[in-house]
């Protein structure tokens, strides 16, 4: 079975996501990058599930999809609130956690 | 076991929590609804407390009643174990009683920044912690309730407090948290070090007291007791751990001060009586002279501190240091007599000092200041409030016939002949110092009374419109005042509840073998475990 | 035996009256005073019943008939009755239990208790009546009556107590009532200062009471195995020679209780509060600070007398602290009375001196004499105080200053004058008034028990008492009227608050409207009742008749029987003491009449004789006037007063101030800088190290994520290398 190909694809997607999270300044883009990371993880889960001939991987992938949907919902709401308050969606402007 | 017996205590603890949840759902604009729900919640809690008071079997106060024991955290063998006996019952009653009165008092006395919703939610959470601490019979459960109390009080001081509130609230929080950390260490040490025969490692306070530190070498006992001591002594507070108290009291809103004085301080002394003494009796004997010393220092020191104050509320706060000194002195004698007095002193101080803080709050509400040099002539402008202040000052200085006396006098008496083979000359010296402390107490309280109530109003307030006691204040205060008188005339209301319980649960290991004890030996209900323990210890 | 068994009603009735007046007094037609008068009247009747019943009980015990108690046995020698025991009436209920010990509250009714009940209720009743007029229109009239009721209840609670703890409760409660009533006009700072001083000084003595009562508990415990505050058990425990109670414990207990007596009964050196306490209304001074509360110390001494007797070894004739303190107080108090211009202060110092007699009597083993003097003194001193009140009420426009506002009042206020003179003569110990009998009994016992020093002190005291009271009478009632000039020019602190404008009652006393006049019957009535007792009370212990001793001396085996010995009347000593008192009056009169020849000496044979004696022996006259009287009036008493005000008083003041300074210093340096500083230091250290760490917290999420990723990469790298 072509496990390695799937894993490479997943790693690529994940790394793209990490790069996006670290490098992009716009909050929506960061959120999208997180989705990319989750997609990479999902591919891994499905691939390993098929490899081991088990359903668990698919079950987990479905869970992750659901959670990702909820997460995006909340994330976009937060971004919207940040935009309303700060009139910007630039993450560099959000530093109220600064100690 | 019927429904009431198994659920009463749980309800007493968690009804306020349910109330708090309901309050969260009510919009903050509907203030009346919020107040009514809170009042109803606290009244329901009080109702169940009164139910336990009625159904409590006063023939066997030394037995734990209304007991519920369920597995809770299996991994560490921690149980949800709640029960009351003669020691906890008065404290539980005091706690649910004072909370109701606090709600009534704050009806239209909310300090800035107002927001009754948040304030009352915190108040209810506070009640969960206070009631829970007094019924918990498991160390982890006790610890959790003990800590729950901290947060609401922190926010009460920090949000609704006076000008210096941030400093005071953080000091209060950190100081007590520091003590709690050491206390938790000691709890863990007890769990791992004490091997209760037939049970093994446990957090159960009843089992641990029956084991009475079996299998621990003396030095370990001393260390563990030290951790407990610091945890509880900070809460009491004993000299020299008291410095958080005046700041916290001075800055706290009135209701916060009242609860702090009336209930929160008692968590510490209750811990000594319920946990430290029975679980580690041998260490208690070694520590007792030092506890006694710190107590009498506290008595004199608190009194001297009072004389130096210019702020009424701060003065009352310092007087707490002195009064809790008497309570701790009673405990340090390790006699039934003294510990009974300590419990009485806890209740009496809760009522009297709570009442004094109420008045200080109303004085500030009316005059906008608590500076003793600016006050005067309260009796002229608000005679009823002035007389209540005088009454409370008299009660606080330990006038016989009022509640305060029965906390002080028996405590001082028991120092004449301490238990646990403690040094008699040392404790008799403490007795004389404590007696001198009563004179100083009269000094500072009457001095305050003279400054605040006597004389004529200062020019700046000569034409001020001062409200005498309002209806809400009457409703909140009259029960306390009546109780102060009732307990003063019939001290047996409390003594008969605590006596056997203290004799069996706390003071039993300290009955002296060499000198004649104050009290004849009391027959305690036999516990098979105790017999086992002694057999096993002698076997080792 | 209703009156003895139910004696707990006697304190209960005024206690109920207190509550009723407090709650409803303001709405009553006479503002609550009627409740107070009726309640105390009821208590008085019950007390009279108790006295009669007790006397019958004594006679029943001796096998005599009930009638014989009053009639037949008169004339029998009074010394042979000591063997027949008469048990006190004892009842108690469980008060509370602690440490498995049941502690009780109860009554112990015996001779001492019924005497005290009679004295307290009678004088309280008279003061209640007197105050109807004296306090009329006062702004806190209702409150005043409530406090009087509470005081009466507390004092009676103390009197009937069968245990020392209950006694302590009553003791503290009367102290608080005293505080409330001294500070009755608390608008003026001197009044509230006086109230504070009184409370704190007696409270200092209460250190002794607190520890002493605790020791009584343990004395009984050592003797019987179970601790108790019971007084009968205590007296038995200390008297039983075979008991296990060590003498050291009894000595400590006696010393501690002595401190309590010193504080409460105004003994040297804690007597300074009593003159200041005169800031209260005059009826209060009569009731609390002359007749009842201040004798609580003496009562305590009499109640647990075996403790003192054995603790201080009174029986062996040596100087003991009790007699010594009493003796010093007799002289110190009397000397000070000479230099007072305020009539109430003269009486206050006189009270101190007379209390000294009582304590000294206890100290020399004269139990009966002490109690008897307490009994007679209550009447004539209350008489004098109420007389002084009458003078200020109607004669001197609410002033108590004899030098500026009185003088010559004899012709305006004949009734007050007569009763005042009767009181004075009784106090001076002139035959056959009450004070003569009781004082003489103290002296004869002191002599008999080998306390010669205290016999001399007693005689010197008698001389001075007579002299200063003569001075007081002279300045108040004789000479020219000096008042009436600018009323309230020198307002006395306590009376200045009488609100002359608000109340119609006071308007008629205004000097511009009325000259001095006799007080009305509500004031003079009580004065005559008290004068009656001042004259006749002493006959109760007429030699060989000795009703007082027979009826009221404890006659039960509880430690008293073996230490009380009746002593026969000594006619020579009695003559000497009367002569000395007469000399006191004579010399003092002579001193004043040197300028005003028509005065006291024309009516008083003894004074005339004294005066003739002075005139005939000119050089002695000179010595008396310029050395003794002037000496006592001048340097000695001034010196003592100076010592009193500047040394003793200042010790108190400086102790207070020192405590405050110490408190301030402790607070500032130790507490705020030391202990608190340490705490703050730790907080600062934590805070600063936190400050360093917080620089890492940029607040930018992506930075955190970067750190996270970097950490994962490093961790993975390490893992990879290590495998």
């Amino acid at each position: 079975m072509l496990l390695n190909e799937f894993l490479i694809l997943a790693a690529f997607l994940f790394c793209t996501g990490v790069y996006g999270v670290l490098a992009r300044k716009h909050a929506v883009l960061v959120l999208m990058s997180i989705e990319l990371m989750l997609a990479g993880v999902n591919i891994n889960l499905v691939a390993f599930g098929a490899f081991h001939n088990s359903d668990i991987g698919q079950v987990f992938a479905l869970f992750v999809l659901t959670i990702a949907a909820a997460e995006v919902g909340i994330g976009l709401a937060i971004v919207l609130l940040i935009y309303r308050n700060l009139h910007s969606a630039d993450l560099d402007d959000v530093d109220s956690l600064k100690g | 076991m019927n429904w009431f017996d198994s659920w009463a205590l749980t309800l007493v603890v968690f009804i306020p929590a349910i109330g708090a949840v309901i309050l969260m759902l009510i919009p903050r604009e509907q203030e009346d609804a919020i107040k009514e729900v809170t009042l109803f919640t606290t009244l329901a809690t009080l109702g169940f407390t009164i139910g336990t008071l009625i159904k409590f079997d006063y023939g066997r106060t030394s037995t734990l009643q209304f007991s519920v024991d369920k597995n809770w955290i299996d991994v560490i063998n921690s149980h949800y174990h709640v029960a009351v006996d003669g020691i906890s019952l008065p404290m539980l009653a005091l706690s649910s009683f004072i909370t109701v009165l606090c709600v009534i008092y704050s009806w239209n006395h909310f300090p800035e920044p107002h927001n009754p919703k948040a304030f009352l939610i915190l108040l209810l959470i506070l009640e969960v912690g206070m009631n829970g601490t007094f019924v918990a019979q498991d160390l982890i459960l006790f610890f959790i309730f003990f800590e729950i109390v901290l947060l609401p009080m922190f926010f009460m001081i920090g949000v609704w407090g006076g000008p210096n509130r941030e400093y005071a609230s953080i000091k209060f929080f950190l100081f007590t948290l520091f003590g709690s950390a050491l206390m938790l260490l000691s709890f863990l040490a007890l769990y791992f070090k004490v091997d209760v025969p037939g049970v093994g490692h446990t957090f159960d306070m009843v089992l641990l007291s029956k084991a009475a530190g079996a299998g621990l070498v003396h030095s370990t006992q001393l260390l563990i007791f030290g951790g407990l001591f610091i945890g509880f002594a900070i809460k009491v507070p004993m000299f020299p751990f008291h410095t958080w108290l005046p700041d916290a009291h001075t800055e706290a809103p009135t209701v916060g001060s009242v609860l702090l004085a009336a209930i929160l301080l008692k968590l510490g002394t209750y811990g000594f009586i319920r946990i430290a003494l029975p679980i580690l009796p041998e260490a208690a004997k070694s520590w007792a002279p030092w506890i006694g010393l710190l107590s009498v220092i506290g008595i004199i020191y608190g009194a001297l501190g009072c004389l130096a104050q210019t702020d009424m509320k701060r003065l009352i706060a310092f007087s707490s240091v002195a009064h809790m000194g008497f309570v701790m002195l009673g405990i340090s004698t390790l006699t039934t007599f003294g510990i009974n007095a300590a419990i009485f002193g806890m209740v009496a101080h809760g009522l009297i000092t709570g009442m004094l803080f109420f008045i200080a709050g109303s004085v500030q509400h009316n005059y906008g200041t608590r500076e003793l040099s600016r006050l005067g002539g309260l009796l002229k402008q608000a005679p009823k409030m002035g007389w209540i202040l005088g009454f409370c000052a008299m009660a606080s200085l330990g006038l016989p016939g009022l509640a305060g006396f029965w906390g002080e006098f028996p405590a001082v008496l028991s120092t004449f002949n301490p238990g646990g083979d403690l040094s008699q000359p040392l404790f008799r010296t403490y007795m004389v110092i404590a007696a001198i402390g009563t004179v100083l107490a009269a000094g500072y309280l009457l001095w305050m009374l003279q400054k605040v109530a006597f004389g004529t109003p200062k020019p700046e307030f000569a034409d001020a419109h001062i409200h005498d006691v309002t209806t809400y204040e009457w409703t909140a205060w009259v029960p306390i005042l009546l109780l102060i008188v009732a307990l003063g005339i019939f001290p047996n209301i409390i003594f008969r509840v605590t006596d056997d319980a203290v004799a069996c649960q706390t003071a039993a290991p300290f009955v002296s073998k060499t000198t004649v004890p104050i009290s004849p030996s009391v027959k305690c209900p036999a516990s098979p475990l105790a017999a086992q323990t002694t057999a096993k210890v002698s076997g080792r | 035996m209703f009156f003895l068994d139910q004696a707990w009603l006697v304190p209960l009735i005024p206690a109920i009256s207190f509550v009723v007046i407090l709650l409803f007094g303001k709405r009553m037609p006479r503002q609550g005073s009627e409740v107070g008068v009726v309640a105390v009247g009821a208590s008085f009747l019950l007390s009279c019943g108790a006295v009669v019943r007790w006397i019958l009980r004594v006679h029943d015990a001796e096998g005599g008939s009930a009638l014989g108690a009053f009639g037949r046995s008169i004339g029998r020698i009074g010394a042979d009755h000591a063997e027949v025991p008469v048990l006190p009436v004892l009842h108690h209920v469980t008060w509370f239990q602690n440490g498995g010990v049941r502690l009780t509250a109860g009554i112990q009714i015996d001779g001492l208790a019924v005497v005290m009940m009679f004295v307290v209720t009678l004088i309280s009743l008279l003061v209640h009546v007197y105050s109807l007029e004296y306090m009329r229109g006062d702004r806190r009239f209702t409150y005043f009556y409530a406090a009087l009721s509470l005081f009466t209840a507390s004092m009676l609670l103390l009197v009937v107590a069968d245990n020392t703890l209950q006694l302590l409760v009553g003791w503290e409660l009367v102290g608080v009532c005293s505080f409330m009533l001294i500070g009755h006009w608390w608008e003026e700072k001197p009044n509230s200062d006086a109230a504070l001083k009184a409370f704190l000084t007696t409270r200092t003595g209460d250190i002794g009471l607190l520890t002493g009562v605790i020791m009584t508990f343990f004395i009984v415990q050592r003797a019987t195995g179970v601790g108790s505050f019971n007084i009968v058990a205590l007296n038995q425990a200390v008297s039983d020679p075979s008991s296990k109670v060590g003498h050291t414990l009894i000595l400590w207990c006696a010393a501690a209780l002595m401190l309590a007596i010193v504080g409460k009964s105004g003994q040297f050196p804690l007597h300074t509060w009593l003159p200041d306490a005169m800031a209260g209304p005059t009826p209060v001074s009569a009731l609390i600070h002359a007749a009842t509360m201040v004798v609580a110390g003496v009562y305590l001494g009499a109640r647990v007398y075996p403790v003192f007797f054995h603790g201080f070894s009174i029986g062996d004739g040596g100087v003991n602290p009790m007699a010594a303190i009493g003796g010093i107080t007799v002289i110190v108090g009397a000397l000070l009375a000479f230099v007072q211009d305020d009539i109430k202060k003269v009486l206050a110092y006189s009270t101190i001196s007379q209390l000294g007699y009582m304590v000294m009597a206890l100290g020399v083993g004269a139990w009966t004499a002490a109690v008897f003097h307490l009994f007679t003194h209550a009447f004539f001193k209350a008489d004098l105080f109420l007389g002084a009140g009458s003078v200020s009420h109607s004669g001197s426009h609410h002033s108590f200053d004899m030098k500026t506002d009185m003088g010559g009042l004899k012709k305006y206020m004949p009734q007050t004058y007569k009763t005042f003179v009767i009181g004075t003569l009784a106090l001076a110990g002139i035959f056959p008034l009450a004070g003569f009998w009781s004082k003489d009994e103290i002296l004869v016992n002191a002599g008999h028990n080998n306390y010669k020093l205290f016999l001399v002190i007693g005689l010197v005291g008698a001389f001075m008492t007579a002299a200063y009271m003569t001075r007081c009478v002279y300045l108040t009632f004789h000479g020219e009227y000096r008042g009436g000039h600018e009323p309230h020019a020198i307002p006395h602190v306590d009376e200045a608050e009488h609100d002359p404008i608000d109340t119609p009652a006071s308007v008629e006393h205004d000097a511009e409207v009325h000259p001095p006049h006799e007080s009305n019957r509500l004031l003079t009535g009580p004065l005559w009742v008290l004068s009656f007792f001042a004259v006749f009370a002493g006959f109760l212990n007429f030699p060989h008749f000795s009703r007082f001793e027979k009826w009221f001396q404890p006659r039960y085996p509880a430690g008293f029987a073996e230490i009380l010995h009746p002593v026969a009347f000594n006619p020579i000593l009695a003559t000497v003491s009367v002569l000395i008192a007469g000399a006191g009056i004579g010399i003092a009169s002579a001193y004043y009449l040197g300028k005003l020849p028509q005065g006291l000496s024309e009516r008083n044979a003894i004074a005339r004789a004294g005066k003739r004696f002075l005139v005939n022996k000119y050089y002695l006259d000179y010595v008396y006037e310029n050395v003794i009287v002037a000496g006592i009036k001048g340097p000695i008493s001034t010196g003592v007063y100076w010592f009193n005000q500047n040394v003793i008083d200042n010790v108190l003041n400086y102790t207070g101030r020192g405590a405050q300074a110490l408190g301030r210093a402790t607070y500032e340096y130790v507490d705020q800088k030391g202990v608190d500083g340490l705490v703050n230091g730790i907080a600062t250290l934590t805070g600063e190290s936190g400050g360093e760490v917080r620089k890492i917290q940029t607040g930018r999420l992506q930075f955190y994520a970067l750190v996270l990723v970097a950490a994962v990469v490093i961790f993975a790298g390490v893992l990879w290398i290590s495998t």
Side-chain angles (χ1 to χ4, degrees), chain B residues 295-296 299-300 303 326 329 397 408-409 411-413 415 427-443, chain C residues 168 172 200 202-215 256 259:
Chain B
S295 306
V296 290
I299 291 171
I300 300 296
F326 278 102
L329 184 65
L397 63 83
E408 281 179 16
F409 178 77
V412 178
L413 185 141
T415 52
F427 272 82
R428 285 177 194 176
T429 315
Y430 293 167
M431 173 176 88
V432 175
I433 299 173
I436 293 170
T438 62
V439 180
L440 292 175
Chain C
L168 184 147
E172 295 289 339
L200 294 180
T202 49
R203 188 94 183 171
T204 309
D206 291 351
I207 296 175
L209 188 69
L210 202 67
T211 48
V213 166
I214 289 171
M215 283 186 257
L259 179 59

Side-chain angles (χ1 to χ4, degrees), chain B residues 171 242 301 340 450 499 517 519, chain C residues 97-100 193 221 671 676:
Chain B
K171 191 171 180 181
H242 64 277
Y301 187 93
N340 274 332
Q450 187 189 26
D499 196 19
S519 39
Chain C
Q97 81 170 67
N98 192 349
D193 279 346
Q221 191 208 28
D671 192 67
D676 209 26

Side-chain angles (χ1 to χ4, degrees), chain C residues 329-414:
Chain C
T329 310
V330 168
I331 302 298
V332 166
L335 280 175
L336 293 173
F338 280 101
V339 290
Q340 305 305 318
D341 289 341
D342 182 320
I343 185 168
K344 280 179 79 180
K345 290 207 168 171
V346 175
L347 297 175
Y349 280 114
S350 162
T351 306
I352 291 171
S353 172
Q354 297 300 313
L355 289 167
Y357 269 109
M358 299 175 207
V359 173
M360 187 177 85
L362 289 174
V364 300
W367 188 94
T368 315
V371 176
F372 191 46
H373 194 56
L374 185 164
F375 176 72
T376 57
H377 173 256
F379 299 120
F380 53 71
K381 189 52 69 61
D383 181 21
L384 290 171
F385 265 112
L386 293 184
S390 171
V391 166
S392 88
H393 192 70
S394 313
S396 64
H397 314 110
H398 310 303
S399 162
F400 288 101
D401 195 313
M402 297 189 292
K403 289 241 168 104
T404 58
D405 295 307
M406 296 182 188
L409 289 171
K410 184 177 71 168
K411 60 176 179 287
Y412 300 107
M413 317 178 72

Side-chain angles (χ1 to χ4, degrees), chain C residues 60-82:
Chain C
D60 286 348
E62 288 185 348
S65 72
L67 273 177
F70 298 100
R72 223 177 36 205
S73 63
I74 292 176
R76 221 169 65 185
I77 305 290
D80 62 347
H81 51 59

Side-chain angles (χ1 to χ4, degrees), chain B residues 167 171 240 242-243 301 304 307-309 314 318 336-337 340 379-380 387 394 397 399-400 405-406 409 412-413 416-417 428 435-436 438-439 442-443 446 450 454-455 489 491-492 495 499 516-520, chain C residues 95-101 139 143 165 168-169 172-173 176 179 186-187 192-193 196 199-200 203-204 207 210-211 213-215 217-218 221-222 229 249 659-660 662-664 666-667 671-672 675-676 679-680:
Chain B
Y167 170 75
K171 191 171 180 181
H242 64 277
T243 55
Y301 187 93
L304 293 175
L307 287 170
Q309 299 311 316
R314 208 172 166 81
F318 256 99
T336 313
F337 215 93
N340 274 332
L379 269 169
K380 233 179 158 61
W387 285 120
M394 288 298 171
L397 63 83
L399 183 74
F405 177 72
W406 300 109
F409 178 77
V412 178
L413 185 141
F416 190 85
N417 224 2
R428 285 177 194 176
I436 293 170
T438 62
V439 180
L446 294 183
Q450 187 189 26
F454 293 157
I489 298 175
N492 218 20
F495 280 136
D499 196 19
V516 187
I518 301 179
S519 39
Chain C
W95 194 2
F96 62 98
Q97 81 170 67
N98 192 349
V101 186
R139 67 179 57 147
Y143 159 74
L165 182 59
L168 184 147
V169 172
E172 295 289 339
L173 284 175
V176 166
F179 171 79
W186 38 251
E187 282 89 345
S192 58
D193 279 346
L196 247 72
F199 193 83
L200 294 180
R203 188 94 183 171
T204 309
I207 296 175
L210 202 67
T211 48
V213 166
I214 289 171
M215 283 186 257
F217 180 88
F218 286 98
Q221 191 208 28
R222 291 219 180 144
F229 296 104
L249 183 57
Q660 210 173 358
L662 186 62
R664 205 171 289 130
T666 321
Y667 176 69
D671 192 67
Q672 293 296 302
V675 183
D676 209 26
V679 174
N680 285 339

